[in-house]
Amino acid sequence: MPTRSPARLVVALAVAGVLAIFLLYTAVAGHSTPTLTPSEIQGKSGKLSVVGTVVGKLRGDSHAASGLQFQLVDPQGHNTKRVDVVYRGTSPPPLFRVGRSVVVSGTYAHGRLQGSDIVTKCPSKYTSSPS
Amino acid sequence: MADLGRAALVVTFGLAVYALVAGGIAARRNERRLAASARNALYCSFASTLIAAAVLAIALVRHDFSFTYVAAHTNRHLPVAYALSAFWGGQEGSLLLWLLILTGYGALAVAINRRLLRDLTAWVVPVIGGIATFFSFVLVAVASPFDTQTAPFDGAGLTPSLQNPYMVAHPPMLYLGYVGLSVPFAFAAGALLSGRADERWIVATRRWTLAAWTFLGFGQLLGAHWAYVEVGWGGYYAWDPVENAALMPWLAATAFLHSVMVQERKGMLKVWNMVLVALAFELSVFGTFLTRSGVVNSIHSFAKSSIGSWFLAFVVISSLFSLALIMWRLPLLKAKTKLESALSREAAFLYNNLLLVALCLTILWGVLFPIVTQLVKGETRTIGRPYYDFFLRTFGLPLLLLMGVGPLIAWRKTSVRGLTRTLAWPTTAAVVTGVTLVAVGAGSSSPGLIAYTFSAFVLATIVVELVRGTRATGSLFTLVARNRRRYGGYVVHAAIVLLAIGIAGSSAYSSSVERRLAVGQSMTLAGYTLTNRGVTVDPKPNVTETRAHLDVTGPWSGTISSGDNQYVNPPEPSREVGIKTDWLRGEDLYVIVDEAHPKTGLIFVQVLVKPLINLIWVAGIVFLFGSAVALWPDAREQRRLVARLAPAASA
């Protein structure tokens, strides 16, 4: 004759364990980063990511001390607010250029984003055909 | 031509609606002729979708730019294979592929099971009809691949990075997996609707689930390899929402494949299995929503389109339907037996399931986090690699250990002494491996060391099982042939171990250095010395290839080239990395030339040495082989199952 099932206890312990790990992580190690568009960045500072379209002239070199300089605007083009970016590090991805949608991560202070990482969006997939 | 495609899709929509409505009425009233008619409608819906697919494929091959879709995704220079791959390169075509696979899978699964599981398949037809109704409606009314225009001279072309053999195979593999999960979901729903919630639906769909899971898993590895060789950042998985969209249903399906064994053997976890099969299906549709709605930021630039709201509505409605169905049939889903011991095979399966589902849900939380923070705080926040890596280690390492322990524990209960005896050899192998690794200086990464120790443990358990079984049967071939499912599973476990070793090796022990090099200057990394020998430019009709050439000495000697291609049409660049594989060490020397100045010969180069990374790709082949062994028809097993389930079928 089967005795009282430990299944519920196992499940409860597992759920509790997962929650505990999750809370521990979010309390100790977890830190999320704000991901903003140029029109949302006003009044913010610190580590963040900016999603936008590259505009203006590309100046400088990402490997040099002065960095690669460009500007970002809202991806949808509804807002004209621009963010100045200075990016230093490895060369940006090959698809990076004016007009391309990118995500730049870094530190924002005094109206300028000091970028340390650029992700260029992969074009063509699953965008609707122009009609 | 476009009219034919459009008409074929309208016919598919009508047939799907008929399969849904007439099939539902027939199943409810037990009307056999009407049920046969609904079934035939499902078969015909595959035929009409096939006509629509053929129209689009012909238009792509013939470069018929009067089709808006063809003009947007191909051009005249595109080779036939890549022109055909544009079928799934865009939104409308990929949805058509989804519908084609769904109606094909559905028709085949119903045809195979219509006699053996008549009462159940009567309900499967309207469920698949319902899913097909949604997809055909979207294709007819929201995103048609058959919109036409005045034909331009040439099309926009396909992005160069997608012109890669992996991109021909990777998306259809994923679709075969995603859509394949509809079949077990439809049979589970059919079992609940018909009130036949025994194990027959599991037996009928086991191979379907396994095949879908294999396609999904292998498809992801193909995508990872494409990213590694083509995108040129030295990695293969970025925890991007779109990559996660394929991983989540695969994890849920992995849990399901394990937990059904407990239901088949012990009649337990019936509710859990229903939840898992529904979760896997909903996550596969959710992935499609995610990739097409633009609600989250991804490296894949998915446009915000109206199609996302349709998919969201479908996910919500089908989730509520599944939940309501399970709640309604709860009394039929009572377990036949109870878990007797926390130290038993069924308990090990339960732990494995909890870890897999926990990993799946934490990934889902990471994907949804930006949406949740936007809703709650009015600010989009994202969580990146550290979050995912932490949970991969937290849940993945115990999972790896369980993969070794689980198959060696007896069903019902086992004693600690018995278990200790069984695990003696594998434990010894693990300890020896750990000590050896520390002795040779590979103890710098704790997760890497733990992963290798656990991997040695799992491999040793597989060897112990094979040796023990071969001794009993006299031949390894006979052993595997007699229980393909079990030993196919062991081969898949071995593949996962190879994957774990590859991931741990390439991430925990990789090294990297960046330098600016003039012609003649050198740099060193992990025993390799690379010397810049200059830059060449090779103009071709549709592309200009710029390459930096570096002489390499060290564990391998020769010349390696890297640079970029600048295409004319479409006017896109692509990065071309240099990779030299040392198969003996499983190691790659990976060279990314960021900047190459043809006049001065000056280059900026990043060099990575990635130990054991090639085990990841080898794991894919082993995974495929193991799945094939488990999938191979087994008459002996079939007889065993029929005998066991016959009472349930006649009840």
Side-chain angles (χ1 to χ4, degrees), chain B residues 566-629:
Chain B
Q566 185 66 50
Y567 290 84
V568 177
N569 185 16
E572 299 275 4
S574 77
R575 180 176 281 166
E576 302 297 317
V577 295
I579 304 173
K580 178 61 195 171
T581 299
D582 181 341
W583 282 106
L584 261 183
R585 298 145 65 106
E587 177 179 281
D588 272 356
L589 173 67
Y590 194 101
V591 177
I592 309 164
V593 171
D594 270 345
E595 291 173 22
H597 300 281
K599 284 182 183 168
T600 59
L602 192 68
I603 61 172
F604 190 88
V605 62
Q606 186 182 3
V607 179
L608 299 100
V609 174
K610 302 186 84 70
L612 301 170
I613 192 162
N614 288 289
L615 289 186
I616 296 174
W617 324 128
V618 173
I621 295 161
V622 178
F623 172 78
L624 213 53
F625 174 67
S627 298
V629 170

Side-chain angles (χ1 to χ4, degrees), chain B residues 492-529:
Chain B
V492 171
H493 281 184
I496 302 297
V497 169
L498 289 177
L499 188 72
I501 295 173
I503 291 171
S506 60
S507 53
Y509 302 106
S510 72
S511 46
S512 162
V513 69
E514 296 173 6
R515 288 278 186 282
R516 191 185 295 275
L517 295 179
V519 176
Q521 282 187 327
S522 299
M523 61 190 287
T524 56
L525 178 70
Y528 293 96
T529 301

